[in-house]
Amino acid sequence: MREKLEIVQAKPWTFRDDIRVKTYADGSTEEIYMIYLIFDCRAANRTVELNDEFEDHALVRAGEFGSYDLNAATRTTLAAKGLIDA
């Protein structure tokens, strides 16, 4: 049996909200209200098990975030944390 990621500490960092437009596979769109609850976490291991919502994952060093195609919400969060340039 594969062990799952074990979070040993989850400390609230910040939250924010946003109104976004979600585009579905059929091309239709919907305006949605998003609430982001963001935590600083520590894990006891590095084992990640993906569900059917994800295709892949990566463990990324702070200086490497800029090389990824990040959505606006993720860029805003990482910039606020000082992990990428605003």
Side-chain angles (χ1 to χ4, degrees), residues 14-83:
T14 191
F15 79 95
R16 61 188 193 81
D17 62 346
D18 195 6
I19 296 174
R20 316 234 352 125
V21 175
K22 180 176 176 89
T23 303
Y24 295 95
D26 67 1
S28 64
T29 61
E30 177 183 22
E31 189 173 84
I32 57 176
Y33 179 69
M34 300 287 297
I35 298 174
Y36 304 92
L37 305 172
I38 305 167
F39 295 82
D40 280 323
C41 298
R42 293 204 178 270
N45 58 26
R46 300 253 189 249
T47 305
V48 177
E49 186 174 310
L50 301 178
N51 64 24
D52 60 356
E53 294 182 26
F54 297 92
E55 295 176 6
D56 201 359
H57 76 284
L59 298 176
V60 180
R61 295 184 187 282
E64 299 171 352
F65 285 121
S67 66
Y68 284 82
D69 180 21
L70 304 172
N71 63 38
T74 301
R75 286 196 167 282
T76 298
T77 299
L78 294 178
K81 193 70 171 160
L83 298 172

